[in-house]
């Protein structure tokens, strides 16, 4: 997949042929190195995914947390990243994979005027669950919003 390209599968395309029940709908996008234009583009794509899934009212928190993960990956690494968002009957899972092994560290900003350092604190406080998954090369930082928030 080329930089900036996305692949979105609709619930109908993912439906179980026998039962006709939607299983999952997914957004996958490569984010170019240090390309902060990807942040609003990721928010928009996630909003569209949630709209297609019939859950537009849940996009505010999901978009905020996605923005934080995407920004962190693009600002704190010197490589591309991959955004994957999956909506299923269980809820929403957003994952941003980068190719740097150094793990994220949540920190509380020191001064009230400090504009940085709040991203993972927001993820930690607003997501139902979140974590870091190491890979052979790099890691994925992810969050989940359960069915009650993504429904």
């Amino acid at each position: 997949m080329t930089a900036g390209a996305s692949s979105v599968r609709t619930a109908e395309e993912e439906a179980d042929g026998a039962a006709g029940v939607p299983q999952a709908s997914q957004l996958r996008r490569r984010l170019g190195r240090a390309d902060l234009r990807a942040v609003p583009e990721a928010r928009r794509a996630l909003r569209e995914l949630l709209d297609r899934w019939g859950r537009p009212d849940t996009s505010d928190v999901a978009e905020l947390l996605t923005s934080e993960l995407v920004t962190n990956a693009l600002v704190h690494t010197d490589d591309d990243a991959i955004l994957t968002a999956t909506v299923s009957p269980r809820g929403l899972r957003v994952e941003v994979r980068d190719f740097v092994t150094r793990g994220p560290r949540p920190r509380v900003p020191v001064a009230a005027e400090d504009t940085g350092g709040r991203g993972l604190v927001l993820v930690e406080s607003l997501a139902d669950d979140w974590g870091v998954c190491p890979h052979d090369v790099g890691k994925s930082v992810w969050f989940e919003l359960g069915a009650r928030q993504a429904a």
Side-chain angles (χ1 to χ4, degrees), residues 27-88:
L27 161 74
R28 193 165 163 82
R29 177 162 291 177
R30 180 169 288 281
L31 311 168
R33 184 175 119 198
D35 182 7
L36 293 178
R37 293 173 301 181
V39 177
E41 291 170 7
R43 289 177 71 110
R44 180 190 47 74
L46 181 66
R47 185 178 322 117
E48 290 173 2
L49 174 70
L50 293 170
D51 283 349
R52 277 193 293 280
W53 191 252
R55 299 177 176 152
D57 57 324
T58 63
S59 68
D60 289 343
V61 170
E63 287 179 53
L64 172 65
L65 300 184
T66 299
S67 293
E68 296 301 336
L69 295 189
V70 168
T71 300
N72 284 351
L74 297 177
V75 168
H76 299 295
T77 69
D78 193 28
D79 208 336
D80 292 354
I82 299 171
L83 165 67
T84 305
T86 305
V87 181
S88 71

Side-chain angles (χ1 to χ4, degrees), residues 6 13 21 29 60 64 70 80 84 109 114 127 137 148-151:
S6 68
E13 293 168 335
V21 176
R29 177 162 291 177
D60 289 343
L64 172 65
V70 168
D80 292 354
T84 305
D114 189 0
V137 176
R148 69 175 169 77
Q149 286 182 280

